[in-house]
Amino acid sequence: MTRKLKPARGIQGLIPAIASLLIFFFTAIVFGIHSSFNVLGGIMILYSFVFGFWSFYKSNNYYFLVSAFYLLTFGLILILLDLPDDFNGPRPIFTNEVKIGLLFLYFFMFWLIYIGYRKTLKYRGREVMELAAWDVEEGSETYTERPRPAGMVDYTKYDIIDFSNYLKRKLVCIPFHEENRIVLVPIKMGDEFELFYKPNYDYLSKTWISFDFDGQVSVHISRKDYLDYKDDLSFDHLCESLGKLMITFADFYMRGDKVRIMDRLNTIKTGLFS
């Protein structure tokens, strides 16, 4: 399958790690090794709540708890290590608490590696947009902000809500509940920071697919996502294709074949951080 999207070059996911290392080395130079490990441990504990528990709360994806407990354990070990103030001091003493903590750390670390291999904590918006553009050719239609109708479904309100919650847990789309519809926003890796941490997130300015409770399906593609394609694709066809893709996913879910949703997304071979 020929890729339609431009290569992902964002470094948003690396910013917390880079900031942590800079703070660690600065603290080590100014205050000593012991203080720098304590500070880094505190940062890891903070990250466990900011990026682990909070992400679980927002997505209901239980695998975020593995990441949260890994960071929490890592932070506690760094704080509990009995380290000298400089490199010439005595070797660190591994207390019983630290040894027990290391067992938990290795457990969560290997679990995270497995989760990374399965891409369970990967936001799948990039795959959604690639699949939507799979058979869409270049076209002369100009981009428009106006939502486009994309079809009809014959599902109840609660069917649509259940489907949207499933997509949220699988990090395919984040649903926003309105009075008469559910709005599904595909999230690419790196975009989750704005979604989870920006107050008054303007989801209607993003790419979305809405399922009205009366069955109408509509699509809006943001200018940013449209320009993320390598070529000027036929805009009407792209909107129609994205809507049909979500309707197909909904059909899979309602028939009890929800594993097919992830199978379809996994046909797009993307990196873990793209």
Side-chain angles (χ1 to χ4, degrees):
M1 177 178 175
T2 303
R3 297 291 175 84
K4 298 294 184 73
L5 288 171
K6 300 172 184 175
R9 295 190 176 91
I11 63 168
Q12 296 96 321
L14 297 176
I15 291 176
I18 294 172
S20 301
L21 289 175
L22 291 176
I23 295 172
F24 171 77
F25 287 119
F26 173 80
T27 308
I29 293 170
V30 177
F31 300 103
I33 298 298
H34 182 76
S35 297
S36 66
F37 272 84
N38 284 339
V39 169
L40 184 59
I43 292 174
M44 293 300 104
I45 293 173
L46 176 64
Y47 283 174
S48 73
F49 287 94
V50 174
F51 300 124
F53 293 113
W54 181 249
S55 295
F56 162 69
Y57 171 76
K58 297 292 286 187
S59 68
N60 288 338
N61 184 314
Y62 286 92
Y63 289 104
F64 277 115
L65 293 178
V66 180
S67 174
F69 284 117
Y70 169 78
L71 291 169
L72 184 62
T73 305
F74 191 14
L76 290 173
I77 289 173
L78 293 175
I79 292 174
L80 291 172
L81 278 175
D82 188 6
L83 292 167
D85 288 326
D86 56 57
F87 290 105
N88 297 322
R91 297 181 64 181
I93 299 174
F94 289 88
T95 62
N96 290 333
E97 291 83 358
V98 171
K99 292 176 181 178
I100 294 172
L102 286 172
L103 291 177
F104 282 100
L105 183 68
Y106 292 143
F107 171 75
F108 289 123
M109 180 179 68
F110 286 117
W111 197 352
L112 273 179
I113 291 172
Y114 175 73
I115 289 171
Y117 171 76
R118 296 290 303 275
K119 297 184 178 180
T120 312
L121 289 181
K122 184 181 187 301
Y123 295 91
R124 310 308 288 264
R126 190 169 188 83
E127 288 93 327
V128 169
M129 301 308 291
E130 283 281 14
L131 283 174
W134 180 63
D135 62 348
V136 178
E137 303 296 334
E138 294 184 55
S140 58
E141 299 100 328
T142 58
Y143 172 82
T144 175
E145 291 280 355
R146 188 175 70 254
R148 302 295 181 92
M152 296 285 297
V153 294
D154 186 20
Y155 301 125
T156 68
K157 170 182 177 180
Y158 298 103
D159 287 335
I160 294 171
I161 292 174
D162 287 344
F163 170 60
S164 69
N165 287 334
Y166 172 78
L167 294 183
K168 179 172 72 170
R169 290 194 304 273
K170 293 297 184 179
L171 306 183
V172 178
C173 298
I174 299 298
F176 293 87
H177 295 240
E178 297 182 355
E179 183 178 358
N180 298 311
R181 65 177 184 171
I182 297 290
V183 179
L184 301 171
V185 179
I187 302 297
K188 299 177 184 176
M189 291 295 291
D191 292 346
E192 72 274 15
F193 294 102
E194 180 184 7
L195 169 66
F196 288 169
Y197 307 109
K198 180 180 179 180
N200 302 318
Y201 179 75
D202 184 14
Y203 63 90
L204 291 178
S205 68
K206 311 300 180 183
T207 294
W208 50 260
I209 309 93
S210 68
F211 283 74
D212 291 7
F213 296 142
D214 62 3
Q216 178 69 46
V217 180
S218 302
V219 170
H220 170 265
I221 296 178
S222 70
R223 181 178 295 276
K224 176 185 175 183
D225 282 336
Y226 182 69
L227 295 177
D228 200 26
Y229 289 107
K230 297 176 184 177
D231 303 307
D232 291 331
L233 301 180
S234 172
F235 187 71
D236 287 343
H237 190 188
L238 183 62
C239 291
E240 178 186 2
S241 179
L242 180 56
K244 286 184 176 179
L245 177 67
M246 280 298 155
I247 291 173
T248 299
F249 285 176
D251 290 341
F252 283 151
Y253 182 82
M254 303 306 171
R255 294 201 307 258
D257 296 333
K258 55 189 177 183
V259 67
R260 299 298 182 196
I261 298 175
M262 304 313 296
D263 288 344
R264 185 72 64 87
L265 292 170
N266 287 334
T267 61
I268 309 297
K269 305 299 182 181
T270 59
L272 181 60
F273 301 102
S274 63

